[in-house]
Amino acid sequence: MALTARLFRLWHRFRGGGLERTELILKSIPLQKRFFRLCEQHLDSGDNEVRVLATAMFQHCDRLFAFIEYPGVEPTNNSVERALRHAVIWRKISFGNQSAKGEIATARLLTVARTCVMQRRNALEFLCDSVSRHRAGQPALSLLQR
């Protein structure tokens, strides 16, 4: 936990403008090595959960630190969790779907709705325009940003 706290302190300094990316990378190398060694020490743990976690982290250690090297990669999935929150709530209060086609339709509608929110577009307008274009035989609208 202390290693994670130190890594996040570095990350927050970087995000706050107190470190350049090259400094972040250099200062994180000793922490990454310690994570790797810690995982390695527990690969043969008697506790199954510890062993499984250590093995997964050991095998994917390079991916655990992708946020340090690559711009746009975040260290947590908080933004994704927040983006999915409304869909999860909807699923719980509506008791899900009754068919595979319903699941596909729901997934697509929720994707359109969330993407429109993220792009500051009106989802109802997008859906109405999409249906009108489909009925008129016109090409579909795109949710991909231009």
Side-chain angles (χ1 to χ4, degrees):
M1 294 307 286
L3 280 172
T4 303
R6 287 181 61 195
L7 191 60
F8 272 94
R9 277 196 298 276
L10 276 176
W11 175 252
H12 291 299
R13 276 183 54 204
F14 166 72
R15 289 295 297 261
L19 285 177
E20 296 294 322
R21 186 166 298 274
T22 53
E23 291 177 284
L24 173 66
I25 292 169
L26 288 174
K27 288 180 182 277
S28 71
I29 290 172
L31 299 175
Q32 291 183 48
K33 287 180 179 180
R34 286 183 66 193
F35 269 109
F36 189 76
R37 281 194 309 269
L38 189 61
C39 293
E40 195 173 35
Q41 289 171 1
H42 291 87
L43 289 174
D44 58 355
S45 172
D47 185 318
N48 187 51
E49 288 183 26
V50 171
R51 187 175 57 255
V52 168
L53 179 61
T55 301
M57 290 179 73
F58 184 81
Q59 290 174 343
H60 304 291
C61 214
D62 57 324
R63 295 183 197 148
L64 293 175
F65 303 102
F67 68 95
I68 291 172
E69 293 185 43
Y70 302 105
V73 177
E74 292 290 321
T76 68
N77 65 347
N78 291 345
S79 59
V80 175
E81 294 282 345
R82 284 193 300 274
L84 289 173
R85 188 175 194 298
H86 294 289
V88 171
I89 291 170
W90 177 86
R91 188 190 75 223
K92 286 184 178 187
I93 63 173
S94 69
F95 302 105
N97 293 287
Q98 304 303 312
S99 69
K101 285 183 180 181
E103 287 177 14
I104 292 168
T106 299
R108 289 179 180 167
L109 286 170
L110 290 171
T111 298
V112 167
R114 185 62 196 158
T115 302
C116 285
V117 166
M118 291 171 66
Q119 295 177 359
R120 291 179 169 70
R121 292 168 80 172
N122 184 310
L124 185 57
E125 271 181 31
F126 180 88
L127 289 169
C128 289
D129 290 347
S130 294
V131 170
S132 297
R133 291 174 70 91
H134 175 73
R135 287 182 177 167
Q138 297 174 332
L141 292 174
S142 175
L143 283 172
L144 299 178
Q145 288 188 325
R146 294 162 209 110

